[in-house]
Amino acid sequence: TENRPVISHHPQKDTRWYPEFDASTGLATHSLIAVPLNARGRTIGVLEVVNRKEGTTFSDEDSDLLMLFASQAAIAIENARLFTDTDQALQARIQELTTLQHIDRQLNATLDYHEVMEHTLQWALHVTGAAAGIVAAVQERDERGLRFLAQRGYDEATIEQYATGTAVWPLTQGLIGYTVQLGETTLVTEISQSPQYVCLAPGMKAQLTVPIKREERVIGAIALESPDGDTFTTENISFVERLADHAAVAIENARLFEEVQQANTAKTEFISFVSHELK
């Protein structure tokens, strides 16, 4: 903590001495030097040597020599750590891109609106480890609100009215409605402190809500909940945001296809009705 060399000729009498070291190694420490390992303006560790071979005590010259060696060692250690961190980050990024590529193939393999939503939620839950989640789409017709099209971990009876019934989830209600109106990702790690939160599943502590946007227009949202406040890491949040971006295209395509099908069905029914009346 002092960030300076320490020489001790009688470690056992030093209040800073840790006696378990000798007890665990069977070594009797008579003299020692400990010097800080400094790299890029911060202390990253300590280098310690004990007992000269000649049995004499360490000197200031020994301390200076060890400090010189420690400065080079610290740079080497820090460079190795940075290389490892960079390599791990690169591997994680490659894995994420591979996963998103697989998700793209999966999402674009179907034009079924509900199936696209199910795939999106499945991947969001899988990657983040969340316990519950909802994917909702903004409904513009009649009353503006959210239609829940995929869900996991919630009571079916509670969600049903917003999935297949006539009711829509108000945009003024819950963190999911708040996020859609805000148009930005919201993370609450202690939902008991959030005035917007609406409890749909007991025992939850954190909620991550990410808007699904298409050409700067919010068309839906992904809401994930967890009983652990530390579930949603920075990496998890970034992944769900990218997932939402990738899913947006498939969701919009599926929605448009569904509307075309409904229009064709309505046209067929209209022609059939007119033909019947003419007859």
Short mmCIF file of all heavy atoms in Angstrom, two decimals, residues 122-167:
data_model
loop_
_atom_site.label_atom_id
_atom_site.label_comp_id
_atom_site.label_asym_id
_atom_site.label_seq_id
_atom_site.Cartn_x
_atom_site.Cartn_y
_atom_site.Cartn_z
N GLN A 122 -35.73 -16.36 -27.07
CA GLN A 122 -34.95 -17.53 -26.69
C GLN A 122 -33.46 -17.21 -26.63
O GLN A 122 -32.77 -17.58 -25.67
CB GLN A 122 -35.19 -18.65 -27.71
CG GLN A 122 -34.39 -19.92 -27.45
CD GLN A 122 -34.59 -20.96 -28.54
OE1 GLN A 122 -35.50 -20.87 -29.36
NE2 GLN A 122 -33.72 -21.94 -28.57
N TRP A 123 -32.95 -16.48 -27.60
CA TRP A 123 -31.54 -16.13 -27.62
C TRP A 123 -31.21 -15.10 -26.53
O TRP A 123 -30.15 -15.16 -25.91
CB TRP A 123 -31.15 -15.61 -28.99
CG TRP A 123 -30.86 -16.71 -29.96
CD1 TRP A 123 -31.65 -17.15 -30.99
CD2 TRP A 123 -29.70 -17.55 -29.96
NE1 TRP A 123 -31.05 -18.21 -31.63
CE2 TRP A 123 -29.86 -18.48 -31.02
CE3 TRP A 123 -28.56 -17.62 -29.18
CZ2 TRP A 123 -28.91 -19.45 -31.32
CZ3 TRP A 123 -27.60 -18.60 -29.46
CH2 TRP A 123 -27.78 -19.49 -30.53
N ALA A 124 -32.09 -14.16 -26.30
CA ALA A 124 -31.86 -13.15 -25.27
C ALA A 124 -31.75 -13.80 -23.89
O ALA A 124 -30.86 -13.47 -23.09
CB ALA A 124 -32.97 -12.12 -25.28
N LEU A 125 -32.63 -14.75 -23.60
CA LEU A 125 -32.59 -15.46 -22.32
C LEU A 125 -31.36 -16.34 -22.21
O LEU A 125 -30.72 -16.42 -21.16
CB LEU A 125 -33.86 -16.30 -22.16
CG LEU A 125 -35.18 -15.54 -21.97
CD1 LEU A 125 -36.36 -16.51 -22.06
CD2 LEU A 125 -35.20 -14.82 -20.63
N HIS A 126 -31.02 -17.00 -23.31
CA HIS A 126 -29.89 -17.93 -23.32
C HIS A 126 -28.57 -17.22 -23.03
O HIS A 126 -27.76 -17.68 -22.22
CB HIS A 126 -29.82 -18.64 -24.67
CG HIS A 126 -28.60 -19.50 -24.85
ND1 HIS A 126 -28.42 -20.69 -24.17
CD2 HIS A 126 -27.48 -19.32 -25.61
CE1 HIS A 126 -27.24 -21.21 -24.51
NE2 HIS A 126 -26.66 -20.40 -25.38
N VAL A 127 -28.35 -16.09 -23.70
CA VAL A 127 -27.07 -15.39 -23.57
C VAL A 127 -26.94 -14.68 -22.23
O VAL A 127 -25.88 -14.70 -21.60
CB VAL A 127 -26.89 -14.39 -24.74
CG1 VAL A 127 -25.66 -13.50 -24.51
CG2 VAL A 127 -26.73 -15.15 -26.05
N THR A 128 -28.00 -14.04 -21.76
CA THR A 128 -27.93 -13.27 -20.52
C THR A 128 -28.12 -14.11 -19.26
O THR A 128 -27.68 -13.72 -18.18
CB THR A 128 -28.98 -12.15 -20.50
OG1 THR A 128 -30.31 -12.75 -20.54
CG2 THR A 128 -28.82 -11.22 -21.69
N GLY A 129 -28.79 -15.25 -19.39
CA GLY A 129 -29.08 -16.06 -18.22
C GLY A 129 -30.24 -15.52 -17.41
O GLY A 129 -30.41 -15.87 -16.24
N ALA A 130 -31.06 -14.66 -18.02
CA ALA A 130 -32.23 -14.10 -17.34
C ALA A 130 -33.25 -15.20 -17.05
O ALA A 130 -33.33 -16.21 -17.74
CB ALA A 130 -32.86 -13.00 -18.20
N ALA A 131 -34.07 -14.98 -16.00
CA ALA A 131 -35.05 -15.98 -15.59
C ALA A 131 -36.39 -15.82 -16.30
O ALA A 131 -37.15 -16.78 -16.41
CB ALA A 131 -35.25 -15.90 -14.08
N ALA A 132 -36.68 -14.62 -16.75
CA ALA A 132 -37.97 -14.36 -17.40
C ALA A 132 -37.80 -13.27 -18.46
O ALA A 132 -36.89 -12.45 -18.37
CB ALA A 132 -39.02 -13.94 -16.37
N GLY A 133 -38.69 -13.30 -19.43
CA GLY A 133 -38.57 -12.28 -20.46
C GLY A 133 -39.81 -12.18 -21.34
O GLY A 133 -40.62 -13.12 -21.41
N ILE A 134 -39.93 -11.03 -21.98
CA ILE A 134 -41.05 -10.76 -22.89
C ILE A 134 -40.52 -10.04 -24.12
O ILE A 134 -39.63 -9.20 -24.01
CB ILE A 134 -42.12 -9.86 -22.22
CG1 ILE A 134 -42.91 -10.63 -21.16
CG2 ILE A 134 -43.09 -9.27 -23.25
CD1 ILE A 134 -43.88 -9.77 -20.37
N VAL A 135 -41.03 -10.41 -25.28
CA VAL A 135 -40.81 -9.62 -26.49
C VAL A 135 -42.17 -9.09 -26.92
O VAL A 135 -43.12 -9.85 -27.07
CB VAL A 135 -40.18 -10.45 -27.63
CG1 VAL A 135 -40.03 -9.59 -28.88
CG2 VAL A 135 -38.82 -10.97 -27.21
N ALA A 136 -42.25 -7.77 -27.04
CA ALA A 136 -43.52 -7.12 -27.36
C ALA A 136 -43.38 -6.28 -28.61
O ALA A 136 -42.29 -5.79 -28.94
CB ALA A 136 -43.98 -6.26 -26.19
N ALA A 137 -44.49 -6.12 -29.31
CA ALA A 137 -44.52 -5.27 -30.50
C ALA A 137 -45.47 -4.11 -30.27
O ALA A 137 -46.50 -4.26 -29.60
CB ALA A 137 -44.97 -6.09 -31.71
N VAL A 138 -45.12 -2.97 -30.82
CA VAL A 138 -45.99 -1.79 -30.71
C VAL A 138 -47.17 -1.95 -31.66
O VAL A 138 -47.00 -2.23 -32.85
CB VAL A 138 -45.21 -0.50 -31.07
CG1 VAL A 138 -46.15 0.70 -31.06
CG2 VAL A 138 -44.08 -0.28 -30.08
N GLN A 139 -48.36 -1.80 -31.14
CA GLN A 139 -49.58 -1.85 -31.95
C GLN A 139 -50.08 -0.44 -32.16
O GLN A 139 -50.29 0.31 -31.21
CB GLN A 139 -50.66 -2.69 -31.27
CG GLN A 139 -51.98 -2.73 -32.03
CD GLN A 139 -53.01 -3.61 -31.35
OE1 GLN A 139 -52.87 -4.83 -31.35
NE2 GLN A 139 -54.02 -3.00 -30.76
N GLU A 140 -50.23 -0.06 -33.41
CA GLU A 140 -50.65 1.31 -33.74
C GLU A 140 -52.14 1.41 -33.98
O GLU A 140 -52.74 2.46 -33.79
CB GLU A 140 -49.90 1.79 -35.00
CG GLU A 140 -48.39 1.78 -34.87
CD GLU A 140 -47.86 2.88 -33.97
OE1 GLU A 140 -48.66 3.73 -33.53
OE2 GLU A 140 -46.65 2.89 -33.71
N ARG A 141 -52.76 0.30 -34.44
CA ARG A 141 -54.20 0.34 -34.75
C ARG A 141 -55.04 0.41 -33.48
O ARG A 141 -54.63 -0.08 -32.42
CB ARG A 141 -54.61 -0.90 -35.55
CG ARG A 141 -53.92 -1.02 -36.91
CD ARG A 141 -54.55 -2.13 -37.74
NE ARG A 141 -54.51 -3.41 -37.04
CZ ARG A 141 -53.51 -4.26 -37.13
NH1 ARG A 141 -52.44 -3.96 -37.84
NH2 ARG A 141 -53.55 -5.41 -36.49
N ASP A 142 -56.22 0.98 -33.61
CA ASP A 142 -57.14 1.13 -32.47
C ASP A 142 -56.42 1.87 -31.33
O ASP A 142 -56.01 2.99 -31.48
CB ASP A 142 -57.66 -0.24 -32.01
CG ASP A 142 -58.37 -0.98 -33.14
OD1 ASP A 142 -59.04 -0.31 -33.95
OD2 ASP A 142 -58.23 -2.21 -33.21
N GLU A 143 -56.26 1.21 -30.19
CA GLU A 143 -55.55 1.82 -29.06
C GLU A 143 -54.06 1.52 -29.16
O GLU A 143 -53.65 0.38 -29.36
CB GLU A 143 -56.09 1.25 -27.74
CG GLU A 143 -55.44 1.85 -26.51
CD GLU A 143 -55.90 1.16 -25.23
OE1 GLU A 143 -56.77 0.27 -25.31
OE2 GLU A 143 -55.40 1.52 -24.16
N ARG A 144 -53.21 2.55 -29.06
CA ARG A 144 -51.77 2.36 -29.17
C ARG A 144 -51.24 1.75 -27.89
O ARG A 144 -51.52 2.21 -26.79
CB ARG A 144 -51.06 3.68 -29.45
CG ARG A 144 -49.59 3.53 -29.79
CD ARG A 144 -49.02 4.83 -30.34
NE ARG A 144 -47.66 4.64 -30.84
CZ ARG A 144 -46.56 4.86 -30.15
NH1 ARG A 144 -46.65 5.34 -28.91
NH2 ARG A 144 -45.37 4.65 -30.67
N GLY A 145 -50.48 0.69 -28.03
CA GLY A 145 -49.91 0.02 -26.87
C GLY A 145 -49.02 -1.12 -27.31
O GLY A 145 -48.58 -1.18 -28.46
N LEU A 146 -48.76 -2.05 -26.39
CA LEU A 146 -47.86 -3.17 -26.68
C LEU A 146 -48.62 -4.48 -26.70
O LEU A 146 -49.47 -4.75 -25.83
CB LEU A 146 -46.76 -3.25 -25.62
CG LEU A 146 -45.72 -2.13 -25.64
CD1 LEU A 146 -44.84 -2.21 -24.39
CD2 LEU A 146 -44.87 -2.21 -26.89
N ARG A 147 -48.30 -5.30 -27.70
CA ARG A 147 -48.85 -6.65 -27.79
C ARG A 147 -47.72 -7.62 -27.44
O ARG A 147 -46.66 -7.60 -28.05
CB ARG A 147 -49.35 -6.92 -29.20
CG ARG A 147 -49.89 -8.32 -29.43
CD ARG A 147 -51.23 -8.52 -28.80
NE ARG A 147 -52.26 -7.66 -29.40
CZ ARG A 147 -53.44 -7.44 -28.86
NH1 ARG A 147 -53.74 -8.00 -27.69
NH2 ARG A 147 -54.33 -6.67 -29.45
N PHE A 148 -47.92 -8.47 -26.40
CA PHE A 148 -46.91 -9.43 -26.00
C PHE A 148 -46.98 -10.65 -26.92
O PHE A 148 -47.98 -11.37 -26.94
CB PHE A 148 -47.14 -9.88 -24.55
CG PHE A 148 -46.98 -8.76 -23.54
CD1 PHE A 148 -47.48 -8.90 -22.25
CD2 PHE A 148 -46.32 -7.59 -23.88
CE1 PHE A 148 -47.32 -7.89 -21.32
CE2 PHE A 148 -46.15 -6.57 -22.95
CZ PHE A 148 -46.66 -6.71 -21.67
N LEU A 149 -45.91 -10.90 -27.67
CA LEU A 149 -45.92 -11.97 -28.66
C LEU A 149 -45.03 -13.16 -28.30
O LEU A 149 -45.09 -14.19 -28.96
CB LEU A 149 -45.50 -11.41 -30.03
CG LEU A 149 -46.44 -10.33 -30.58
CD1 LEU A 149 -45.92 -9.83 -31.92
CD2 LEU A 149 -47.85 -10.86 -30.73
N ALA A 150 -44.21 -13.01 -27.27
CA ALA A 150 -43.41 -14.14 -26.78
C ALA A 150 -43.09 -13.87 -25.32
O ALA A 150 -42.81 -12.73 -24.94
CB ALA A 150 -42.14 -14.29 -27.59
N GLN A 151 -43.15 -14.91 -24.50
CA GLN A 151 -42.85 -14.74 -23.08
C GLN A 151 -42.36 -16.04 -22.47
O GLN A 151 -42.70 -17.12 -22.91
CB GLN A 151 -44.08 -14.23 -22.32
CG GLN A 151 -45.20 -15.24 -22.12
CD GLN A 151 -45.10 -16.02 -20.81
OE1 GLN A 151 -44.31 -15.66 -19.92
NE2 GLN A 151 -45.87 -17.09 -20.66
N ARG A 152 -41.51 -15.90 -21.46
CA ARG A 152 -41.02 -17.04 -20.67
C ARG A 152 -40.96 -16.61 -19.21
O ARG A 152 -40.55 -15.50 -18.89
CB ARG A 152 -39.61 -17.45 -21.10
CG ARG A 152 -39.49 -18.05 -22.48
CD ARG A 152 -39.97 -19.51 -22.53
NE ARG A 152 -39.63 -20.11 -23.81
CZ ARG A 152 -40.26 -19.87 -24.95
NH1 ARG A 152 -41.29 -19.04 -24.95
NH2 ARG A 152 -39.87 -20.46 -26.06
N GLY A 153 -41.37 -17.50 -18.32
CA GLY A 153 -41.21 -17.28 -16.90
C GLY A 153 -42.33 -16.51 -16.22
O GLY A 153 -42.24 -16.21 -15.04
N TYR A 154 -43.39 -16.18 -16.96
CA TYR A 154 -44.50 -15.43 -16.38
C TYR A 154 -45.76 -16.29 -16.34
O TYR A 154 -45.88 -17.28 -17.07
CB TYR A 154 -44.78 -14.15 -17.18
CG TYR A 154 -43.65 -13.17 -17.18
CD1 TYR A 154 -42.88 -12.96 -18.32
CD2 TYR A 154 -43.32 -12.44 -16.03
CE1 TYR A 154 -41.82 -12.06 -18.33
CE2 TYR A 154 -42.27 -11.53 -16.03
CZ TYR A 154 -41.52 -11.34 -17.18
OH TYR A 154 -40.48 -10.47 -17.18
N ASP A 155 -46.71 -15.88 -15.52
CA ASP A 155 -47.98 -16.58 -15.43
C ASP A 155 -48.77 -16.38 -16.72
O ASP A 155 -49.01 -15.25 -17.15
CB ASP A 155 -48.78 -16.04 -14.23
CG ASP A 155 -50.14 -16.70 -14.11
OD1 ASP A 155 -50.19 -17.93 -13.99
OD2 ASP A 155 -51.15 -15.97 -14.16
N GLU A 156 -49.16 -17.47 -17.34
CA GLU A 156 -49.86 -17.42 -18.63
C GLU A 156 -51.15 -16.60 -18.54
O GLU A 156 -51.45 -15.82 -19.45
CB GLU A 156 -50.20 -18.84 -19.11
CG GLU A 156 -49.00 -19.68 -19.52
CD GLU A 156 -48.48 -19.31 -20.90
OE1 GLU A 156 -49.15 -18.51 -21.58
OE2 GLU A 156 -47.41 -19.82 -21.28
N ALA A 157 -51.88 -16.76 -17.47
CA ALA A 157 -53.17 -16.06 -17.33
C ALA A 157 -52.98 -14.55 -17.28
O ALA A 157 -53.80 -13.80 -17.81
CB ALA A 157 -53.88 -16.55 -16.08
N THR A 158 -51.88 -14.12 -16.66
CA THR A 158 -51.61 -12.68 -16.54
C THR A 158 -51.25 -12.08 -17.89
O THR A 158 -51.68 -10.97 -18.24
CB THR A 158 -50.46 -12.43 -15.55
OG1 THR A 158 -50.79 -13.03 -14.29
CG2 THR A 158 -50.21 -10.94 -15.37
N ILE A 159 -50.49 -12.83 -18.68
CA ILE A 159 -49.99 -12.34 -19.96
C ILE A 159 -51.00 -12.51 -21.08
O ILE A 159 -51.01 -11.73 -22.05
CB ILE A 159 -48.67 -13.07 -20.32
CG1 ILE A 159 -47.62 -12.84 -19.24
CG2 ILE A 159 -48.14 -12.63 -21.68
CD1 ILE A 159 -47.20 -11.40 -19.08
N GLU A 160 -51.87 -13.50 -20.96
CA GLU A 160 -52.76 -13.89 -22.05
C GLU A 160 -53.56 -12.74 -22.64
O GLU A 160 -53.70 -12.61 -23.87
CB GLU A 160 -53.72 -14.99 -21.55
CG GLU A 160 -54.62 -15.58 -22.63
CD GLU A 160 -53.85 -16.41 -23.64
OE1 GLU A 160 -52.70 -16.82 -23.35
OE2 GLU A 160 -54.39 -16.63 -24.74
N GLN A 161 -54.10 -11.87 -21.78
CA GLN A 161 -54.95 -10.80 -22.27
C GLN A 161 -54.19 -9.81 -23.15
O GLN A 161 -54.79 -9.14 -24.00
CB GLN A 161 -55.59 -10.05 -21.11
CG GLN A 161 -54.58 -9.43 -20.14
CD GLN A 161 -55.24 -8.68 -19.03
OE1 GLN A 161 -56.22 -7.96 -19.23
NE2 GLN A 161 -54.71 -8.84 -17.80
N TYR A 162 -52.87 -9.72 -22.96
CA TYR A 162 -52.06 -8.81 -23.77
C TYR A 162 -51.41 -9.53 -24.95
O TYR A 162 -50.69 -8.92 -25.72
CB TYR A 162 -50.97 -8.16 -22.92
CG TYR A 162 -51.51 -7.43 -21.72
CD1 TYR A 162 -51.29 -7.91 -20.43
CD2 TYR A 162 -52.26 -6.27 -21.87
CE1 TYR A 162 -51.80 -7.26 -19.32
CE2 TYR A 162 -52.78 -5.61 -20.76
CZ TYR A 162 -52.54 -6.11 -19.49
OH TYR A 162 -53.05 -5.45 -18.40
N ALA A 163 -51.67 -10.83 -25.06
CA ALA A 163 -51.10 -11.61 -26.15
C ALA A 163 -52.12 -11.92 -27.23
O ALA A 163 -51.89 -11.65 -28.41
CB ALA A 163 -50.51 -12.91 -25.60
N THR A 164 -53.25 -12.45 -26.82
CA THR A 164 -54.27 -12.84 -27.81
C THR A 164 -55.60 -12.12 -27.62
O THR A 164 -56.47 -12.19 -28.47
CB THR A 164 -54.52 -14.36 -27.73
OG1 THR A 164 -54.95 -14.69 -26.40
CG2 THR A 164 -53.26 -15.13 -28.07
N GLY A 165 -55.74 -11.42 -26.48
CA GLY A 165 -57.00 -10.72 -26.22
C GLY A 165 -57.08 -9.39 -26.93
O GLY A 165 -56.23 -9.03 -27.75
N THR A 166 -58.08 -8.64 -26.58
CA THR A 166 -58.28 -7.33 -27.23
C THR A 166 -57.49 -6.23 -26.53
O THR A 166 -57.27 -5.16 -27.09
CB THR A 166 -59.77 -6.96 -27.21
OG1 THR A 166 -60.25 -6.98 -25.85
CG2 THR A 166 -60.58 -7.95 -28.03
N ALA A 167 -57.04 -6.49 -25.29
CA ALA A 167 -56.33 -5.47 -24.53
C ALA A 167 -54.87 -5.35 -24.99
O ALA A 167 -54.27 -6.32 -25.45
CB ALA A 167 -56.36 -5.82 -23.04
#
